[in-house]
Amino acid sequence: MRAPVRHSALTALVATVALLLWATPALAATDYKLESISVDLSSQQAGAHADLTVGFELAEEGGVPNGFTRDLFFELPPGVIGNPQTQPLCTLAQFDRGAEDMECPVGSQVGVSEIRLAGTLNTTFIEPVYNMPSPGGDIVARFGVYAGPYPSLINIRVNPIDYSLVAAVEGAPSAAELLSARTTFWGVPAAEIHDDLRLTPKEALEHKLPPGGRDSGEPEVPFLSNPTDCTLQRELTATVVSYEAPSEPDSKTAPFPAIGGCELLEFNPTLSVRPTNSEAAAPTGLDATLRIPQNENPPPARATSTLKSAVVTLPEGMTINPAAGDGLGSCSATEVGFENTQPPRCPDSAKIGSVEIEVPALAETLKGAIYQRTPEDGKLFRFWLVTDEQGVRLKLPAEITTNLLTGQLTTVFSGIPILGGNPQVPFEELRLHVFGGPRAPLVTPSQCGTYQSHYEFAPWSGRPATVGDAPMQITTGCNKGGFSPRLSAGTLDSRAGEFSPFAMTLTRSDGEANPRELAVHLPQGLLAKLAGVPLCPDALAPSGDCPAGSQVGRLTAATGVGGAPLWVPQPGKEPTAVYLAGPYKGAPYSVVSKVPAQAGPFDLGTVVNRAGIYVDPNNATATIKTDPLPQILEGVPIAYRTIHVSVDRPNFTLNPTDCQAKEIRATLTATNGQTASPTAGFQATNCAKLPYAPKLRLALKGSTRRTGHPAVRAVLTQKPGQANTAKATVLMPTSEFIDQDHINNPCTRVQFAAEDCPPLSVLGSATATTPLLDQPLKGRVYFRSNGGERELPDIVADLRGPLRIVLVGFVDSVPVKGTELSRLRTRFQNVPDAPVTKFTMNLFGGKKKGLLENSRNLCKTNRRAELILTGQNGLVQRTKPRIATSCGKEK
């Protein structure tokens, strides 16, 4: 039954302290303070396993302290390291038996403390200091010491700001009436030189030292190590707190001995890097292991230098996977508690990996996590290395830089600003695991083979950095490639002549080459009503900051490698938009696509691409040709998986009135030069239900007499909601023929293409009005040679305005059955499938320019033309309109 009595020794002391405090009058708070502090090393060699001595004296009056000490704190400078794991332990049960019966093992003594007390004892004791188990929590190590009969515990914590050690005696026995102390921790506790001071608390009470010394019975294993940096000016800070005035602590600092000889320190780190996925062009995590062998041999051996900075450059071709941004969170400096004592509170959504660190000074492997840091301008890709266990609250920042041209990644652990580097804490191994899976943050190189990660590790000793390469293997998925994108496209409502939203989707298989250029060719008749749509100003188009009124659609895209690409825009992020703009690179119109590159915590800016809308003047078909697609953004390669465009402005996209099977075709060029032309079938419906009833009015103006050269005016009108015209044939009455003498110098095709037709080739003018454009198309009518394909030149209307349309009429003469007469015929065989409410053609008359000549007096002959109009839906209208003249009006 003796054990409970022994275990209650501390409890009894606490009660005694309470009684003493109750009976002791409080002193003035200003009287209690530190008189002096000191710090010494038995050797100032960097990395040496030297003895560390810390001393202090409290202000006193006549041998009486000016207050009762409650707490003492000693803040050691960064780089001073102890490893309690190398020494035997004295358990709390062994220590808590009182000075007379304490049973700590001899080998657990790691130093001595010379303690001067006032009061009834009024003496100086030389006391052993014992290595004890850490109780956990924020205490990384613990030591026990008696001050005469009074036990005290020295708790060691890690400062979470500069990762230095803080020794604290908390709740010291006031009955001891402490005046001063000088404590020495031995660099190598088992060294023979310390045998003379291996004593017990009982011997200390009796002021006895063991005669002839006492062997520890343990191997000579280092316990303390000097800093491994020789440039810093260090200091020790001591703070004392009294029972009488706990809110008024007193502090002093003392210079720490200068450290030298850093050039003698060893530093031999090695690195291994392995992707979690060895497949080429695939999403992957990463396993990286940094090993720094620690020299734990006794003197004259010295500790290994600690790591100041680390730079690791992954192989070219291993890049960031955009898919990783989907659902990814981030952790800010405030949330992680950077450079303060707060515990880290990073959200789980920001976690991208785990870390394990083997620290010799800790009993177990230190485990933690890797969190995505909140991006800042110019610093997008960063992470925190965080642990918060075994008393170590590590918050280590890292930066990832990207090559803006290749996407190659470099990770930099430059350390903490207030330290000028990484914490000066030795570790044997650091294992980083970056999560893999479909949304892994990295992409493997596209080809199989051996790749090298380059590393540079700089020591705190100031010696040259260790430089090397760590190989990794990509062994599967070696035959990826090819370029076979797929296209689906069409209007949501296919009814002929109706407005309907238009959608187009391009998809690319994972592992195929990336598209670089894109052109989409629309079939004839699939048009857009540009009238009434305000154009995005040229000044705003490059930035995509177009007015809302010019928006015609939106865009979604999937990018990234693996089975779960990133879709943009993400919920809650800025929307995309497609705007109508004006002329661009020779095209009469253009579209501006605006895609905010936002995913998870990242904002890579806004991707703006402009595409010209090129209209074929011969058939009014449109081709949308984009600028080169961006391949890399802020160092992140854009692996296009899906591009979906929805043109959904009301009453904008118009279906053809021709229901023949057509196709929408895309032309793509890949980054490796390969090309592809995927197609999507397209066919309008219900064309037969469309009416077709255009009206034509013809007039011959001017001379009606024989040999007269009248001017010609033709006006074709059509109401909305009908099928568009596909073909038009006009046969003039036999009274009209072409004056061969007036076929003067027709325009050649080369001249026409160069827009350099001779003046005499101009026959007149034409105007077309369409509801699709704000302005009518107007232009000249030419006689243009056809290269001998037909006897007579062609009549060509070159219509211009917001865009250009060229109508070609084939001119010939056909015999009148049963007679020797013939009729002049003009055929427009390829009229674009576009709505035209009014088309007017005026041809010159007169003796010098008139193309037609009267073979008889118009007032005395049949003046009916024959008109054959064919709708795009196949309906044919045949009429014989009477040609208006001035007959009956002449006097």
Side-chain angles (χ1 to χ4, degrees), residues 41 159 189 208 232 274 348 382 542 662 721 729 791 801 803 856 879:
L41 290 171
N159 184 324
K208 294 180 180 179
L232 296 179
R274 183 179 64 85
D348 287 340
R382 314 183 297 168
K662 306 175 188 293
T729 299
E791 182 178 352
L803 48 83
R856 61 179 66 90
T879 59

Side-chain angles (χ1 to χ4, degrees), residues 423-475:
Q424 296 187 50
V425 178
F427 62 89
E428 293 179 328
E429 190 168 283
L430 185 148
R431 298 184 293 274
L432 290 176
H433 172 66
V434 179
F435 296 151
R439 288 199 173 102
L442 299 173
V443 177
T444 56
S446 59
Q447 302 295 325
C448 290
T450 300
Y451 295 84
Q452 303 289 341
S453 294
H454 184 74
Y455 59 82
E456 296 183 14
F457 300 129
W460 272 105
S461 65
R463 297 186 64 180
T466 298
V467 179
D469 296 296
M472 69 168 62
Q473 301 289 328
I474 303 298
T475 57

Side-chain angles (χ1 to χ4, degrees), residues 693-695 717-723 836-837:
K695 294 181 179 180
T717 58
Q718 188 173 13
K719 293 181 179 180
Q722 301 184 16
V836 176
T837 55

Side-chain angles (χ1 to χ4, degrees), residues 271-361:
L271 178 71
S272 66
V273 179
R274 183 179 64 85
T276 61
N277 185 359
S278 61
E279 180 184 354
T284 185
L286 198 71
D287 287 320
T289 301
L290 171 60
R291 298 179 180 87
I292 304 179
Q294 299 297 315
N295 189 341
E296 297 183 354
N297 294 320
R302 292 169 288 270
T304 300
S305 175
T306 49
L307 176 70
K308 183 176 184 180
S309 65
V311 179
V312 178
T313 301
L314 296 178
E316 189 166 339
M318 178 168 275
T319 57
I320 289 176
N321 182 11
D326 194 0
L328 181 65
S330 67
C331 183
S332 67
T334 300
E335 289 172 314
V336 83
F338 188 52
E339 294 188 330
N340 63 44
T341 61
Q342 297 301 313
R345 286 182 169 80
C346 294
D348 287 340
S349 61
K351 190 174 181 180
I352 59 174
S354 61
V355 62
E356 294 182 341
I357 310 174
E358 302 295 344
V359 180

Side-chain angles (χ1 to χ4, degrees), residues 120-371:
T120 58
L121 296 175
N122 192 24
T123 187
T124 299
F125 295 100
I126 298 179
E127 296 283 357
V129 179
Y130 294 102
N131 185 32
M132 298 182 67
S134 165
D138 64 345
I139 299 174
V140 297
R142 170 174 280 179
F143 304 100
V145 64
Y146 276 82
Y150 308 112
S152 292
L153 299 176
I154 305 172
N155 293 322
I156 306 297
R157 296 179 175 88
V158 176
N159 184 324
I161 297 177
D162 64 6
Y163 304 97
S164 61
L165 299 179
V166 178
V169 177
E170 297 158 288
S174 61
E177 298 189 55
L178 181 65
L179 290 172
S180 67
R182 182 176 174 84
T183 302
T184 299
F185 285 92
W186 297 328
V188 183
E192 183 180 355
I193 192 174
H194 305 309
D195 288 354
D196 290 342
L197 292 176
R198 297 188 205 283
L199 71 166
T200 66
K202 180 179 180 181
E203 291 171 332
L205 276 174
E206 298 172 352
H207 297 284
K208 294 180 180 179
L209 291 175
R214 183 177 289 139
D215 188 283
S216 73
E218 298 293 332
E220 294 188 9
V221 180
F223 168 58
L224 292 183
S225 298
N226 282 349
T228 60
D229 169 65
C230 295
T231 62
L232 296 179
Q233 294 183 350
R234 299 174 173 86
E235 62 182 17
L236 172 78
T237 299
T239 301
V240 293
V241 179
S242 69
Y243 279 102
E244 292 85 356
S247 62
E248 299 181 22
D250 186 55
S251 299
K252 280 188 179 298
T253 61
F256 195 83
I259 301 298
C262 285
E263 70 280 359
L264 302 177
L265 301 183
E266 296 179 357
F267 183 69
N268 299 300
T270 60
L271 178 71
S272 66
V273 179
R274 183 179 64 85
T276 61
N277 185 359
S278 61
E279 180 184 354
T284 185
L286 198 71
D287 287 320
T289 301
L290 171 60
R291 298 179 180 87
I292 304 179
Q294 299 297 315
N295 189 341
E296 297 183 354
N297 294 320
R302 292 169 288 270
T304 300
S305 175
T306 49
L307 176 70
K308 183 176 184 180
S309 65
V311 179
V312 178
T313 301
L314 296 178
E316 189 166 339
M318 178 168 275
T319 57
I320 289 176
N321 182 11
D326 194 0
L328 181 65
S330 67
C331 183
S332 67
T334 300
E335 289 172 314
V336 83
F338 188 52
E339 294 188 330
N340 63 44
T341 61
Q342 297 301 313
R345 286 182 169 80
C346 294
D348 287 340
S349 61
K351 190 174 181 180
I352 59 174
S354 61
V355 62
E356 294 182 341
I357 310 174
E358 302 295 344
V359 180
L362 298 178
E364 299 177 357
T365 299
L366 193 62
K367 297 180 180 180
I370 305 170
Y371 292 100

Side-chain angles (χ1 to χ4, degrees), residues 819-839:
T819 70
E820 295 182 356
L821 300 176
S822 61
R823 301 181 72 176
L824 182 65
R825 181 176 68 174
T826 303
R827 293 173 296 159
F828 293 90
Q829 297 288 87
N830 297 293
V831 180
D833 188 359
V836 176
T837 55
K838 184 177 182 180
F839 177 79

Side-chain angles (χ1 to χ4, degrees), residues 519-592:
V520 179
H521 313 279
L522 300 179
Q524 186 175 155
L526 186 56
L527 304 171
K529 184 179 179 181
L530 308 179
V533 182
L535 303 181
C536 178
D538 282 344
L540 300 179
S543 65
D545 295 326
C546 301
S550 61
Q551 184 172 349
V552 297
R554 50 197 169 81
L555 183 149
T556 55
T559 179
V561 175
L566 168 74
W567 283 92
V568 176
Q570 289 194 297
K573 302 296 184 181
E574 289 187 38
T576 63
V578 177
Y579 301 100
L580 183 66
Y584 184 66
K585 292 186 177 180
Y589 289 92
S590 59
V591 289
V592 175

Side-chain angles (χ1 to χ4, degrees), residues 530 535 582-583 586-589 615 617 755 766-770 772-780 797-806:
L530 308 179
L535 303 181
Y589 289 92
V615 179
E755 302 185 16
T767 300
T769 302
T770 172
L772 303 184
L773 299 174
D774 285 316
Q775 302 172 7
L777 301 180
K778 298 180 179 180
R780 293 176 175 178
D798 190 3
L799 302 174
R800 300 177 183 239
L803 48 83
R804 183 186 184 193
I805 297 295
V806 176

